[in-house]
Amino acid sequence: MSFLSDLRWRGLVHQTTDDVGIEAWLEEQPRTVYAGFDPTADSLHVGSLLGLIVLRRFQQAGHKPIAVVGGATGMIGDPSGKSAERNLLSKDELERNVAGLGQQMRRFLDFDAGSCSAELVNNFDWVGPWSYLEFLRDVGKNFPVNVMLAKDSVKSRLGRGDEVQSDGMSYTEFSYMLLQAYDFVHLYEKFGCELQAGGSDQWGNITAGIDLGRRMRSVQLRGLTWPLLTKSDGTKMGKTESGAVWLSADRTSPYQFYQYWINVDDTDVGGCLRMLTELSREEIESLDVARENEAGKRESQRRLAEELTRLVHQAEGLAVAQKATEIFFGAEISDLNDEQLSQIFAEVPSKELPRLRLSRDGLTIIDALVEAGLAKSKGEARRTVGQGGAYVNNRRVEGIETQLTAEHLASETVMVLRSGKKKYALLRFV
RNA sequence: GGGGGGUUACCGAAGCGGUCAAACGGGGCAGACUGUAAAUCUGCUGGCUAUGCCUUCGCAGGUUCGAAUCCUGCACCCCCCA
């Protein structure tokens, strides 16, 4: 199967500028492809994961990927897919974000692979030096306003007459597409890059770049978009109640990241496996069958979570996430030290108590639950224990009279308390 | 300005002299079931040094052996007539 037909099979091709010729063009020789990333934060999130994965696939197929971080365009704000004017980022913030993004990309792309080594560039480097007048003469001259006005990203914001709502857009955002278009031309000149890939919302910007290439350099550039990653209920993939799912462990722990994928709906998981993992077609199709026969096993979700967590957080991150999962879902806690427990229970509230409280008869389970914040009052704690809902180190507490002593410590200083199925708290005895 | 009704626990809502820490529903918590889904079922749901004690039925007083329940005043809300 050709590289492109594999991409198509995976559902990663939404539109191309040349459905017929592009396949042969890609097979003919190694090509250079670029995709852009928005530096609106110092970390990438699941929304931009797809772009990295597409570039990664291109590289694996022998092509040269370029990741462009929009240090310049980020200062302007891409109007595509946005309903309101964007807040501008300060130059400092942008620099910090660009650096953070570059760090993360190294996990996806090989920057030391000879002729197909990945490149990471910041468009501020070539956009920054332009003077306004020069830019208008050399680049702006090539953009007919009527064509610009016809772009969806602009149309939707201008809201012609019958449109219900429109926030309008500033001249700044209107100019965004010129900058991105010029990026393409610049990358063509510097790296011989002839293909730009992007999410389907980037189509307008991509074609703007292609037009500009033809006008300025008489060259035929190409574009390819992937579909936006959405769930069957229409909402964006990678969003939780508490916000975006990030790729940086500081913002979204490997455990949370792993759990996000474990919880993907049956209806969405097949698409995710195709688009996001590097599992073979055979493997994915056998998972489809398994899902139909034994949905309860959730083999697909497990594989998805495993593949992505390993890709983003390495084998070590995956191991922590899996261990944490095992424990959060009831495995008895033993043979772990303070450090491992702290890592697994990083997001769980904890409280320090003097070690003295464990001496002699120890601490009653009732007091422990209240101290840990798992019960609002002793009465509530009694009820929980009485109903069999209290656990120490994931072992159910049988009697309301239970006294906790040093023997109940899970590690050097930590005791893991749990109320009900999932509410955990740590007590640290120091 | 005149007349009537109301204010109960996290929310809604019963209770109208003792058996009221207060029915019922929702919510919440826990258990069973289950696919880390949804639904369903069961139990619990003021606090405590706990066969008892303390606080709680708008607020403050009073009647009574005894008040969420009766009386007086106050506050707030709703309705009807001007």
Side-chain angles (χ1 to χ4, degrees), chain A residues 1 68 75 112 118 163 271 324 391 393:
Chain A
M1 190 173 8
V68 175
M75 295 182 77
D112 188 24
E163 292 276 332
Y391 302 78
N393 304 329

Side-chain angles (χ1 to χ4, degrees), chain A residues 7-64:
Chain A
L7 280 191
R8 285 214 165 95
W9 174 76
R10 288 179 182 275
L12 284 171
V13 180
H14 178 71
Q15 243 178 321
T16 72
T17 46
D18 175 20
D19 284 339
V20 206
I22 196 163
E23 181 157 11
W25 180 78
L26 283 169
E27 297 298 313
E28 197 176 291
Q29 62 175 87
R31 304 291 183 178
T32 300
V33 54
Y34 106 84
F37 296 87
D38 232 2
T40 40
D42 65 2
S43 167
L44 294 160
H45 48 82
V46 165
S48 35
L49 186 60
L50 206 44
L52 285 174
I53 284 172
V54 169
L55 284 187
R56 183 179 163 91
R57 286 184 197 285
F58 269 97
Q59 186 170 40
Q60 285 167 345
H63 302 290
K64 179 183 179 70

Side-chain angles (χ1 to χ4, degrees), chain A residues 41-287:
Chain A
D42 65 2
S43 167
L44 294 160
H45 48 82
V46 165
S48 35
L49 186 60
L50 206 44
L52 285 174
I53 284 172
V54 169
L55 284 187
R56 183 179 163 91
R57 286 184 197 285
F58 269 97
Q59 186 170 40
Q60 285 167 345
H63 302 290
K64 179 183 179 70
I66 303 175
V68 175
V69 190
T73 38
M75 295 182 77
I76 302 297
D78 182 1
S80 304
K82 305 292 185 309
S83 56
E85 180 85 12
R86 296 250 305 244
N87 294 322
L88 299 183
L89 291 155
S90 76
K91 226 178 131 185
D92 282 357
E93 271 176 300
L94 276 167
E95 270 169 30
R96 200 163 351 104
N97 294 348
V98 168
L101 262 47
Q103 209 51 43
Q104 288 182 342
M105 289 182 182
R106 297 181 189 279
R107 297 199 201 126
F108 295 84
L109 303 174
D110 187 348
F111 287 85
D112 188 24
S115 63
C116 67
S117 283
E119 303 283 342
L120 173 62
V121 292
N122 179 352
N123 66 8
F124 188 81
D125 293 344
W126 60 84
V127 174
W130 279 101
S131 81
Y132 185 56
L133 284 176
E134 284 169 357
F135 190 78
L136 288 181
R137 272 180 66 105
D138 296 350
V139 178
K141 189 76 180 157
N142 294 298
F143 280 84
V145 169
N146 56 336
V147 173
M148 292 174 74
L149 288 173
K151 304 263 179 198
D152 284 346
S153 60
V154 176
K155 266 201 304 203
S156 66
R157 286 281 291 280
L158 292 185
R160 308 126 299 165
D162 52 331
E163 292 276 332
V164 189
Q165 260 194 345
S166 123
D167 294 313
M169 78 192 295
S170 66
Y171 178 70
T172 302
E173 280 196 18
F174 184 60
S175 314
Y176 178 91
M177 76 175 81
L178 275 70
L179 295 178
Q180 186 167 329
Y182 181 72
D183 285 348
F184 203 171
V185 173
H186 172 86
L187 293 169
Y188 165 73
E189 287 176 333
K190 182 154 180 203
F191 296 102
C193 174
E194 296 169 274
L195 176 64
Q196 178 177 180
S200 56
D201 60 343
Q202 292 299 309
W203 185 253
N205 291 330
I206 292 173
T207 52
I210 292 169
D211 288 345
L212 186 63
R214 187 167 34 240
R215 286 165 190 266
M216 284 179 80
R217 300 292 180 264
S218 308
V219 63
Q220 179 58 56
L221 301 174
R222 294 156 196 270
L224 176 152
T225 58
W226 57 79
L228 292 181
L229 195 55
T230 53
K231 294 194 282 189
S232 51
D233 63 9
T235 58
K236 268 189 199 159
M237 203 77 205
K239 290 274 182 206
T240 64
E241 317 78 58
S242 46
V245 177
W246 300 90
L247 303 195
S248 105
D250 300 338
R251 287 170 177 262
T252 300
S253 72
Y255 169 73
Q256 289 171 326
F257 185 84
Y258 181 85
Q259 282 294 318
Y260 180 79
W261 299 108
I262 281 282
N263 283 309
V264 168
D265 280 357
D266 290 1
T267 40
D268 298 320
V269 73
C272 286
L273 284 168
R274 286 167 173 74
M275 293 202 260
L276 301 172
T277 74
E278 282 159 19
L279 298 181
S280 67
R281 182 166 180 170
E282 295 75 55
E283 222 169 331
I284 290 174
E285 283 171 347
S286 86
L287 283 168

